[in-house]
């Protein structure tokens, strides 16, 4: 029997409780992971709200990302004792995730921990850091060296945007962050941001082509602001869209695309292929690494504290990490 934080369906919605669960046998190609670290993501908070419909079947163990050590294996690629991690692929929403002492993982979903990283480091990045890194990768491939390039990041102190600022600044970009409030300006500047502006300024009406400001954009908000941002991207620039916190619709014209040759690229972190995952985490472990990574941490909690923390409505600044050994 193992301990898990289980989400169960009720007539009123859902209920989250600690349960003892049976350990199923492994099938061919599966690996059992003893979880070392997991974290609280935006999607994890949505998962415990039945009205969000993020969870597609019950009962479910939330936790969309986790790291740990292989405890048992029926895979030729992974052996007992290997340090590994998982992000995406529907863990925590479609299949049991990281909020349990051990997790069964399909071998094709498992990532080997880079030598330069710890199990804690890779979970500080987690899904948010991976999503941000995918955007930075697309921006770098479109623009070449980011040294001195002006990049706009939307989303304020959110997980994806904060990681985006940290990585972009490590690569020499001049980063402006759009935030709903200036309360977290000091935090964002500590990550390397040159400037923090109010997000509402991006909602002001623009011409079909406005003054060129941004070489690249890491957008986590979508909505009306995205349409306005497109009008300010420099010739040959790129906008990477990975979120919809401000809405799913925006208006635009063809002018930024046919007169300035800009690119609007969608970013998804759930079903990214294995080769790209390896490429991104290799960069995060080496050329993109930052001494400021620990600044991303809000706090580290124990597994027994997870239930209360997960149900809190206030997300706050920084990553909440769960140390399963505490």
């Amino acid at each position: 029997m193992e301990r898990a934080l289980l989400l169960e369906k009720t007539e009123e919605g859902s209920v989250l409780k600690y349960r003892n669960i049976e350990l199923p046998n492994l099938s061919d190609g599966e690996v059992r992971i003893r979880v070392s670290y997991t974290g609280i993501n935006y999607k994890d908070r949505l998962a415990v709200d039945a009205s969000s419909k993020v969870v597609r079947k019950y009962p479910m163990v939330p936790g969309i990302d986790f790291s740990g050590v292989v405890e048992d294996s029926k895979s030729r690629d992974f052996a007992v004792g290997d340090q590994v991690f998982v992000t995406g692929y529907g863990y925590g929403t479609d299949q049991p995730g990281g909020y349990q002492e051990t997790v069964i993982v399909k071998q094709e979903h498992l990532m080997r921990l880079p030598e330069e990283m710890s199990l804690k480091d890779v979970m500080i990045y987690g899904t948010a850091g991976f999503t941000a890194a995918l955007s930075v990768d697309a921006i770098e491939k479109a623009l070449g060296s980011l040294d001195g390039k002006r990049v706009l990041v939307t989303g304020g102190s959110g997980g994806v945007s904060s990681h985006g600022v940290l990585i972009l600044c490590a690569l020499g970009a001049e980063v402006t962050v759009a935030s709903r409030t200036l309360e977290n300006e000091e935090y964002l500047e500590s990550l390397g941001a040159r400037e923090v502006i109010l997000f509402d300024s991006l909602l002001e009406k623009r011409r079909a082509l406005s003054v060129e400001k941004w070489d690249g954009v890491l957008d986590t908000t979508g909505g009306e602001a995205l349409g306005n941002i497109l009008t300010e991207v420099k010739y040959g620039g790129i906008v990477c869209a990975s979120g919809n916190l401000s809405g799913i619709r925006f208006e635009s014209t063809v002018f930024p695309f046919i007169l300035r040759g800009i690119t609007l690229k969608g970013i998804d972190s759930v079903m990214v292929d294995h080769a790209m995952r390896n490429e991104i985490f290799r960069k995060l472990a080496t050329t993109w690494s930052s001494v400021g990574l620990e600044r991303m941490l809000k706090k580290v909690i124990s597994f027994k504290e997870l239930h209360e923390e997960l149900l809190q409505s206030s997300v706050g600044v920084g990553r909440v990490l769960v140390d399963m050994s505490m």
Side-chain angles (χ1 to χ4, degrees):
M1 301 287 285
E2 294 283 355
R3 199 73 168 157
L5 188 55
L6 196 66
L7 191 63
E8 297 175 304
K9 190 73 172 176
T10 66
E11 291 183 0
E12 294 76 24
S14 62
V15 62
L16 188 68
K17 290 185 177 181
Y18 289 104
R19 302 284 194 195
N20 290 324
I21 60 175
E22 295 281 351
L23 284 176
N25 295 324
L26 295 179
S27 299
D28 288 342
E30 290 185 336
V31 177
R32 179 175 286 111
I33 310 304
R34 173 67 57 179
V35 179
S36 298
Y37 292 94
T38 182
I40 298 179
N41 297 277
Y42 177 67
K43 185 178 283 188
D44 294 316
R45 292 188 185 275
L46 287 178
V48 300
D49 178 4
S51 65
S52 72
K53 302 189 187 304
V54 166
V55 174
R56 296 172 176 85
K57 61 181 181 180
Y58 293 87
M60 179 57 62
V61 179
I64 67 171
D65 48 30
F66 49 92
S67 65
V69 179
V70 174
E71 187 172 83
D72 193 9
S73 176
K74 281 197 172 183
S75 165
R76 290 177 296 179
D77 298 327
F78 295 94
V80 173
D82 286 347
Q83 294 186 315
V84 293
F85 67 98
V86 171
T87 68
Y89 293 120
Y91 288 90
T93 56
D94 302 290
Q95 52 194 324
Y99 293 171
Q100 54 187 320
E101 292 176 318
T102 64
V103 187
I104 292 178
V105 178
K106 296 178 181 178
Q107 62 182 2
E108 60 267 28
H109 297 163
L110 203 54
M111 299 291 296
R112 200 176 300 279
L113 186 74
E115 291 181 4
E116 299 85 353
M117 272 189 185
S118 69
L119 291 168
K120 180 182 179 182
D121 289 341
V122 78
M123 273 302 102
I124 297 177
Y125 283 114
T127 299
F130 179 48
T131 304
L134 287 168
S135 290
V136 175
D137 182 68
I139 293 171
E140 186 180 55
K141 286 175 178 174
L143 303 179
S145 171
L146 297 185
D147 192 32
K149 296 288 174 47
R150 291 196 68 193
V151 181
L152 173 68
V153 175
T154 68
S157 58
V160 176
S161 50
S162 294
H163 275 293
V165 172
L166 193 67
I167 300 166
L168 286 164
C169 291
L171 296 176
E174 297 180 2
V175 177
T176 295
V177 183
S179 178
R180 296 280 186 185
T181 173
L182 297 182
E183 290 180 3
N184 297 320
E185 184 175 13
E186 185 176 342
Y187 164 73
L188 292 166
E189 289 176 346
S190 77
L191 299 180
R194 290 284 188 92
E195 179 185 28
V196 180
I197 63 174
L198 287 172
F199 180 79
D200 283 353
S201 67
L202 301 179
L203 300 177
E204 297 168 3
K205 192 67 176 176
R206 265 75 164 170
R207 300 189 304 272
L209 285 178
S210 299
V211 176
E212 296 178 64
K213 290 184 177 180
W214 318 113
D215 295 292
V217 180
L218 191 159
D219 178 54
T220 71
T221 58
E224 181 182 356
L226 178 55
N228 290 334
I229 290 168
L230 292 172
T231 72
E232 297 181 335
V233 178
K234 295 180 183 180
Y235 190 91
I238 182 171
V239 177
C240 293
S242 63
N244 61 351
L245 291 173
S246 296
I248 62 173
R249 302 184 189 281
F250 67 92
E251 292 185 5
S252 183
T253 71
V254 299
F255 292 152
F257 305 100
I258 66 173
L259 297 181
R260 288 184 179 165
I262 75 166
T263 298
L264 175 59
K265 181 175 177 60
I267 301 295
D268 168 68
S269 65
V270 177
M271 299 305 294
V272 178
D273 67 60
H274 219 66
M276 176 59 79
R277 289 176 188 270
N278 273 319
E279 178 184 339
I280 292 298
F281 278 101
R282 170 53 51 197
K283 288 180 177 180
L284 289 173
T286 55
T287 56
W288 290 6
S289 65
S290 171
V291 294
L293 183 61
E294 288 279 340
R295 296 185 194 130
M296 298 295 303
L297 269 181
K298 178 182 179 182
K299 58 182 173 180
V300 180
I301 63 173
S302 67
F303 185 39
K304 66 181 179 181
E305 296 173 302
L306 175 59
H307 180 277
E308 182 179 353
E309 183 71 31
L310 191 62
L311 296 179
Q312 289 184 9
S313 58
S314 176
V315 177
V317 174
R319 170 83 154 159
V320 177
L321 203 63
V322 183
D323 183 344
M324 299 294 284
S325 68
M326 289 175 60

